[in-house]
């Protein structure tokens, strides 16, 4: 016998589906005006505010803002420059801010990627290595401290060929940890490296953006490779190297009225890596659900696969503004621990096309016995 709750969910899903389809149909004229503004190059601001819950912030309010503006003289399309901003606060002692500017200039010859992040909140320190984190019960707050963290990175890139960009990278990160409990004061990494750390790095980046490959299967592939060198000679507290590889791929699934996508990320650090800038899993770094930085080590690998169902007909990006999606993935850290394992996670959520190629997403993630929700903007292909 079919459970009643299942029938209710099916009916609710059908109702929401039909409601969304009706909304898309009724708003055709409005969407046409939206497209005209987009093609005219008029700057556009989108704002979303929703409550969230995750281990990093508890019950909090999250606000996401996206700004698109024209930076190409001979082309009015706003997709050449986009600045998403996200702010989350519990109105007490946990606040976080992040923004990432992607901008093209001089007929797409120059590309500028700028990231900035601030965190001022209390959080747990789970140690270095997966073995250390596994030994601490998730309800244990004896390793909680106050984190004041800042990070900034600038990628200055030039077009090398078609959609291949290469150039230099400047990176800065700073950690000021206070209110350290006895366990953290005695931790070998914090004891030897300190609780106030500043690092500055310089390196190179290569990015192959969607559109380079003519094959229908590879046309929506993205590859990023970067190298950063942090040196005490450049006012860095520690000397270490950071290698980063990001491969993302998406393809339309006409049969299922949606899209499949997947992503593989690897971060490899060598040298005297400070505990504050080690590779980590959790939070908005991927593997949705677990606390940010719970699994921290020299290096990290993670991946996910996703299916997104896009509402509406015809494949028009201006009418198919709603989509739901589900992800399956996982990740691991390695370097100091000899007993590594993959942390699996599942995530689902809703996306709304606020602007051309810009989607607001609300995600619920489950991993390692944790549940969390997140709000942000996503720049699609």
């Amino acid at each position: 016998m079919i459970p009643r709750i299942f029938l209710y969910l099916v009916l609710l899903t059908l109702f929401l589906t039909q409601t969304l389809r009706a909304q898309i149909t009724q708003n055709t004229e409005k969407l046409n005006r939206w497209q005209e503004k987009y093609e005219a190059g008029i700057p556009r601001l989108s704002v979303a505010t929703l409550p969230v819950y995750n281990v990093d912030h508890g019950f909090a309010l999250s606000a996401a803002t996206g700004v698109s503006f024209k930076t190409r003289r001979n082309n009015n399309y706003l997709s050449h420059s986009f600045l998403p901003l996200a702010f989350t606060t519990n109105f007490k002692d946990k606040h976080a801010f992040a923004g990432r500017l992607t901008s093209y200039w001089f007929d797409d010859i120059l590309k500028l990627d700028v990231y900035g992040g601030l965190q001022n909140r209390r959080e747990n320190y789970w140690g270095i290595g997966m073995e250390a984190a596994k030994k601490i019960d998730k309800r244990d707050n004896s390793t909680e401290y106050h984190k004041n963290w800042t990070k900034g990175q600038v990628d200055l890139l030039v077009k090398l060929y078609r959609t291949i960009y290469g150039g230099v990278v400047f990176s800065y990160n700073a950690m000021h940890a206070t209110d350290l409990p006895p366990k953290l004061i005695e931790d070998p990494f914090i004891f030897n490296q300190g609780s106030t750390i500043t690092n500055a790095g310089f390196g190179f980046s290569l990015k192959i953006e969607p559109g380079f490959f003519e094959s229908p299967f590879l046309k929506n592939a993205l590859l990023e490779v970067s190298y950063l060198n942090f040196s005490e000679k450049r006012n860095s507290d520690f000397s270490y190297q950071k290698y980063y590889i990001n491969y993302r791929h998406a393809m339309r699934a006409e049969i299922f009225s949606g899209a499949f996508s997947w992503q593989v990320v690897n971060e490899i650090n060598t040298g005297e890596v400070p505990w504050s800038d080690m590779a980590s899993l959790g939070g908005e770094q991927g593997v949705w659900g677990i606390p940010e930085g719970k699994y921290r080590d020299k290096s990290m690998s993670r991946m996910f696969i996703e299916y997104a169902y896009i509402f509406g007909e015809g494949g028009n990006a201006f009418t198919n503004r709603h989509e739901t999606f589900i992800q399956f993935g996982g990740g691991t850290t390695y370097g100091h621990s000899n007993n590594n394992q993959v942390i699996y996670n599942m995530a689902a959520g809703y996306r709304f096309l606020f602007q051309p190629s810009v989607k607001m997403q609300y995600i619920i993630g489950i991993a390692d016995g944790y549940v969390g929700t997140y709000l942000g903007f996503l720049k699609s292909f």
Side-chain angles (χ1 to χ4, degrees), residues 148-372:
N148 196 329
W149 172 88
T150 305
K151 182 176 180 179
Q153 182 166 308
V154 177
D155 293 32
L156 186 61
L157 310 173
V158 295
K159 182 187 287 189
L160 302 177
Y161 176 70
R162 293 178 62 182
T163 61
I164 299 180
Y165 289 84
V168 295
V169 183
F170 305 91
S171 185
Y172 169 85
N173 63 79
M175 167 70 82
H176 181 53
T178 58
D179 297 337
L180 302 179
K183 282 186 178 181
L184 267 64
I185 296 175
E186 298 171 359
D187 180 85
F189 288 92
I190 296 179
F191 181 82
N192 294 321
Q193 297 180 340
S195 58
T196 299
I197 300 173
T198 303
N199 299 292
F202 170 81
F204 305 94
S205 177
L206 179 70
K207 299 184 179 183
I208 303 177
E209 300 192 337
F212 175 77
F213 299 102
E214 296 182 358
S215 166
F217 178 74
L218 294 175
K219 68 177 182 179
N220 285 329
L222 168 71
L223 177 64
E224 298 179 79
V225 180
S226 65
Y227 163 78
L228 279 168
N229 181 274
F230 296 85
S231 174
E232 296 178 38
K233 298 179 182 179
R234 291 189 292 270
N235 298 320
S236 184
D237 289 344
F238 297 91
S239 295
Y240 60 103
Q241 299 76 42
K242 187 182 293 288
Y243 304 86
Y244 180 80
I245 302 173
N246 172 27
Y247 175 73
R248 184 180 168 200
H249 196 154
M251 59 184 298
R252 193 66 182 252
E254 299 293 344
I255 298 177
F256 301 102
S257 300
F260 287 102
S261 62
W262 54 93
Q263 183 182 37
V264 179
V265 176
N266 285 282
E267 180 182 328
I268 302 172
N269 296 305
T270 60
E272 190 181 3
V273 188
W275 67 271
S276 59
D277 197 34
M278 287 188 178
S280 64
L281 298 175
E284 298 180 2
Q285 305 300 318
V287 191
W288 306 99
I290 61 178
E292 182 175 333
K294 176 174 182 178
Y295 298 106
R296 185 193 312 256
D297 211 325
K298 268 193 167 183
S299 302
M300 170 276 297
S301 297
R302 61 178 174 85
M303 69 167 293
F304 75 77
I305 57 174
E306 173 188 298
Y307 168 72
Y309 176 79
I310 303 172
F311 293 88
E313 301 292 342
N316 188 321
F318 292 97
T319 56
N320 296 352
R321 301 179 69 185
H322 308 270
E323 69 179 59
T324 56
F325 63 93
I326 185 167
Q327 288 182 4
F328 297 94
T332 187
T333 59
Y334 49 95
H336 288 96
S337 176
N338 296 320
N339 186 24
N340 301 311
Q341 57 182 285
V342 177
I343 305 299
Y344 297 98
N345 83 304
M346 181 178 72
Y350 165 77
R351 294 192 184 114
F352 177 76
L353 188 70
F354 261 113
Q355 304 175 23
S357 300
V358 177
K359 300 175 182 178
M360 180 276 291
Q361 62 177 4
Y362 191 75
I363 299 174
I364 177 170
I366 303 173
D368 202 32
Y370 296 94
V371 178

Side-chain angles (χ1 to χ4, degrees), residues 44-46 64-69 78-86 97-103 112-116 355 358 377 379:
R44 185 174 180 88
L45 171 68
S46 301
T65 300
V67 183
S68 293
F69 53 96
L78 296 178
S79 56
H80 287 290
S81 292
F82 176 61
L83 174 62
L85 303 170
F97 168 83
R100 183 183 297 274
L101 170 68
T102 300
S103 186
L112 187 64
D113 283 339
V114 182
Y115 170 81
Q355 304 175 23
V358 177
F377 277 102
K379 187 76 165 65

Side-chain angles (χ1 to χ4, degrees), residues 124-129 132-133 136-138 140 143 291-294 370:
N124 282 312
Y125 172 79
W126 307 88
I128 305 300
I136 300 177
D137 188 275
K138 63 182 181 180
D140 184 357
T143 61
E292 182 175 333
K294 176 174 182 178
Y370 296 94

